[in-house]
Amino acid sequence: MSDENRLIEVRRQKVAELRASGENPYANNWRVTHTSAELKELAPDIPPPELRSENALTSEDYRVAGRVMAKRSAFLEIWDREGRLQLYFKTPEQQARLAHVERGDFVGAQGHLFYTKRGKSKDDLALFVHEFALLTKSLRPLPEKWHGLQDVELRYRQRYVDLISNRADVAPVFRSRARIISHMRSFFDQRGFLEVETPILQPTLGGAAARPFQTHHNTLDVNLYLRIAPELYLKRLVVGGFDRVYEIGHNFRNEGIDRIHNPEFTMLEFYQAYATFQDLIELTEELLCQLATLVRGGLKLPYQGSQVDFSRPWPRVSMLDIVHKLGVPIGDVEALRAFCSQRAEGSRGELAPPPAGAAWGELIGWAFDNLGERTLDPARPTFVVDYPVEISPLSRKRDSDPRLVDRFELFILGREHANAFSELNDPDDQRARFAHQLENRARGDAETMDYDEDYCRALEYGMPPTAGEGIGIDRLVMLLCDQPSIRDVVLFPQMRPE
């Protein structure tokens, strides 16, 4: 029998003893009046040692509850949702109750507040216990006290243990994530945007080029997809008269898993009528600078040994200029094709070659994705503009150069964080773009959109000039909370089977 199994067996015996004595080891009759943080607010400043005693600091008794994280002689240290608190058991009768209590158990206590003689701050406040209850008996022992849960993969698989054992490091990340999302909602609500919900199960693939998860609905006898993006439904709402809409929700893509990709991820997506992609550049800077100040207290963000400067305005660079600086003759499609093919061949399989028959814009996109992104300044958020029409099937063509679209992507530390464009609202042009996507699929491209005729029909009713944007929340939380992996900011990331 392993040491862990032996400890579990000992705890099971204690559960049996408690039940035999008439005590329920999983009670549910304890009411809490205060948290540890609230008690510290109520307590007077710590007196000098010679004036300390077990006498009450206030006239009231307080009822608390939490998980036992340490046990020593006449003291328990418990943690509730806001911090730690000591419980003091003075009498032998009270201390005898502790025989069945171990690290990991949940307990409740009622008593008065006092400062221990060793106390140096309000963290050394203690509750002199008058009444005590064991609320939940923990059968499985927590990881060793001083080093916590160190196995990274086990931390992701058993997030519940990670949150207990590595509380000081892990919990603040997810509290910050909640604050980030809450601030996003407030930011858009204050600007007249309406928060909406669109279908997660969708009959057609749209809004992005990605591989989907597919399922089947038995009653309707139709195949459905977990959405890869909410875009086409949100723009239907703009057609219907909701001039400003946003959604915060999950998207799903049946693709690789690495430090910045998880099959299930969270996006903010929003649309604003009578705006252009240039307007969204200003809005994006404002939103992200507010979030940086909220979470990190300023615009200089340390990240994994580097630093990112959020000071405005952020650089704007042309995709065409970036590719041209690679030594590519961007005006000659055959020379461009030869360059991309040679670089793919020379990568020893690291780079997949561009698709056979790729058009000019697709070759430009290949060169930027595989070679140009790494040349961006990692110390500054950067808007990349001048995207070719072939790789932007939902974006509006630029009036001054129909080879390009009115679009940007935001890169920070070499990672894409946002994608935005002035929306294509010409139904005939949209049909032609969808048809081109089907042609790409026919020649073997697995990441294409479906032809969504209902969306084209919606455009025929008229969509006002509109700009829209998607921002990846998980990567943004990684950046703002200085976390190296997307798994560090997703509570339950997808993992291989144990």
Side-chain angles (χ1 to χ4, degrees):
M1 181 182 292
S2 69
D3 289 344
E4 183 180 50
N5 287 339
R6 190 174 293 109
L7 290 172
I8 291 173
E9 183 58 33
V10 169
R11 293 190 179 203
R12 286 190 179 279
Q13 291 174 5
K14 291 184 177 182
V15 167
E17 292 170 4
L18 288 166
R19 283 178 168 149
S21 69
E23 184 173 348
N24 184 356
Y26 301 99
N28 190 21
N29 57 356
W30 189 264
R31 294 294 174 263
V32 175
T33 62
H34 292 77
T35 65
S36 58
E38 289 169 342
L39 292 182
K40 290 170 186 176
E41 286 292 321
L42 289 171
D45 291 337
I46 184 167
E50 63 271 15
L51 297 181
R52 293 179 212 161
S53 70
E54 297 169 0
N55 295 330
L57 293 171
T58 63
S59 60
E60 294 183 55
D61 267 14
Y62 305 100
R63 293 170 67 87
V64 300
R67 185 189 291 273
V68 176
M69 296 302 293
K71 176 182 174 181
R72 60 187 185 278
S73 60
F75 283 90
L76 293 181
E77 180 182 304
I78 67 169
W79 284 82
D80 63 13
R81 70 175 185 271
E82 293 184 342
R84 62 182 287 276
L85 182 68
Q86 296 182 89
L87 307 182
Y88 174 57
F89 299 79
K90 183 175 184 178
T91 68
E93 293 78 16
Q94 287 179 323
Q95 294 170 14
R97 296 281 317 272
L98 302 184
H100 288 90
V101 177
E102 286 143 317
R103 285 184 71 235
D105 293 351
F106 281 90
V107 299
Q110 178 177 323
H112 67 254
L113 290 176
F114 75 102
Y115 279 113
T116 64
K117 291 184 178 180
R118 291 201 205 160
K120 296 180 180 179
S121 72
K122 284 196 174 185
D123 285 337
D124 296 304
L125 193 68
L127 193 78
F128 189 111
V129 177
H130 302 156
E131 182 183 349
F132 176 76
L134 175 64
L135 303 180
T136 300
K137 185 66 188 168
S138 169
L139 295 180
R140 194 172 292 269
L142 297 176
E144 188 267 323
K145 176 180 177 182
W146 299 112
H147 298 98
L149 184 62
Q150 298 295 309
D151 185 313
V152 173
E153 183 167 327
L154 194 59
R155 287 180 54 210
Y156 299 146
R157 290 187 187 281
Q158 299 181 13
R159 183 68 82 187
Y160 40 91
V161 184
D162 187 29
L163 287 166
I164 298 169
S165 299
N166 303 316
R167 173 178 178 143
D169 297 322
V170 178
V173 172
F174 292 100
R175 293 187 188 280
S176 292
R177 181 185 175 112
R179 291 170 65 207
I180 289 166
I181 294 174
S182 176
H183 185 83
M184 285 179 166
R185 285 195 164 95
S186 176
F187 181 90
F188 285 99
D189 290 346
Q190 290 172 8
R191 285 159 178 79
F193 284 77
L194 177 70
E195 183 176 11
V196 297
E197 295 175 288
T198 61
I200 290 178
L201 286 174
Q202 300 184 354
T204 57
L205 290 175
R211 295 182 180 181
F213 292 93
Q214 183 174 332
T215 187
H216 185 81
H217 191 282
N218 293 328
T219 301
L220 297 178
D221 193 24
V222 295
N223 291 330
L224 297 169
Y225 304 96
L226 289 178
R227 73 176 178 201
I228 56 177
E231 177 169 343
L232 301 187
Y233 283 93
L234 291 170
K235 289 193 286 193
R236 284 174 170 94
L237 296 178
V238 178
V239 170
F242 290 154
D243 284 355
R244 297 186 177 197
V245 293
Y246 75 95
E247 182 170 12
I248 296 173
H250 285 199
N251 295 341
F252 306 84
R253 298 183 185 177
N254 195 356
E255 298 169 351
I257 298 177
D258 57 31
R259 290 194 313 110
I260 59 173
H261 293 94
N262 192 61
E264 179 179 2
F265 59 98
T266 308
M267 288 282 293
L268 160 70
E269 199 151 320
F270 61 92
Y271 292 84
Q272 180 176 341
Y274 314 110
T276 71
F277 81 112
Q278 297 284 3
D279 297 316
L280 297 194
I281 284 179
E282 300 296 325
L283 186 146
T284 302
E285 286 184 345
E286 184 178 359
L287 171 62
L288 268 59
C289 285
Q290 286 187 17
L291 291 171
T293 303
L294 174 73
V295 177
R296 303 298 288 276
L299 301 181
K300 309 289 187 183
L301 276 65
Y303 182 79
Q304 301 296 299
S306 302
Q307 187 177 74
V308 185
D309 182 3
F310 267 41
S311 302
R312 300 175 68 181
W314 298 348
R316 282 80 157 154
V317 298
S318 166
M319 178 183 287
L320 300 184
D321 290 345
I322 293 171
V323 174
H324 182 65
K325 289 178 181 177
L326 297 171
V328 184
I330 60 175
D332 185 334
V333 67
E334 292 308 320
L336 177 58
R337 190 186 315 279
F339 172 87
C340 295
S341 299
Q342 290 168 3
R343 293 300 294 265
E345 291 171 4
S347 71
R348 299 181 179 180
E350 181 181 340
L351 303 179
W360 172 81
E362 292 163 330
L363 295 169
I364 293 289
W366 186 96
F368 173 75
D369 290 343
N370 291 286
L371 307 171
E373 281 186 16
R374 66 189 68 171
T375 68
L376 298 173
D377 181 359
R380 293 283 282 149
T382 303
F383 294 106
V384 177
V385 297
D386 294 343
Y387 277 70
V389 67
E390 290 92 342
I391 60 173
S392 309
L394 299 168
S395 307
R396 182 183 183 277
K397 287 181 182 177
R398 183 168 300 171
D399 293 332
S400 60
D401 187 348
R403 299 177 308 158
L404 307 177
V405 294
D406 293 333
R407 176 185 177 188
F408 73 76
E409 285 187 309
L410 172 63
F411 288 86
I412 308 175
L413 290 167
R415 301 169 183 165
E416 178 199 340
H417 279 263
N419 181 24
F421 38 83
S422 299
E423 303 296 336
L424 174 59
N425 60 353
D426 179 339
D428 295 332
D429 190 357
Q430 185 63 79
R431 283 192 171 92
R433 307 272 194 100
F434 281 151
H436 181 68
Q437 290 285 297
L438 297 184
E439 292 170 5
N440 289 348
R441 183 180 299 176
R443 72 183 192 210
D445 189 348
E447 296 185 359
T448 58
M449 298 185 198
D450 282 344
Y451 193 117
D452 191 334
E453 176 56 31
D454 179 72
Y455 175 67
C456 294
R457 178 169 56 194
L459 292 183
E460 289 180 333
Y461 282 94
M463 183 172 76
T466 299
E469 180 172 350
I471 297 176
I473 289 178
D474 306 307
R475 291 184 189 177
L476 184 59
V477 176
M478 285 174 59
L479 174 65
L480 295 178
C481 296
D482 194 9
Q483 297 298 305
S485 171
I486 195 170
R487 295 182 179 187
D488 294 310
V489 301
V490 174
L491 279 168
F492 299 102
Q494 195 65 41
M495 304 288 290
R496 294 184 185 278
E498 291 186 71

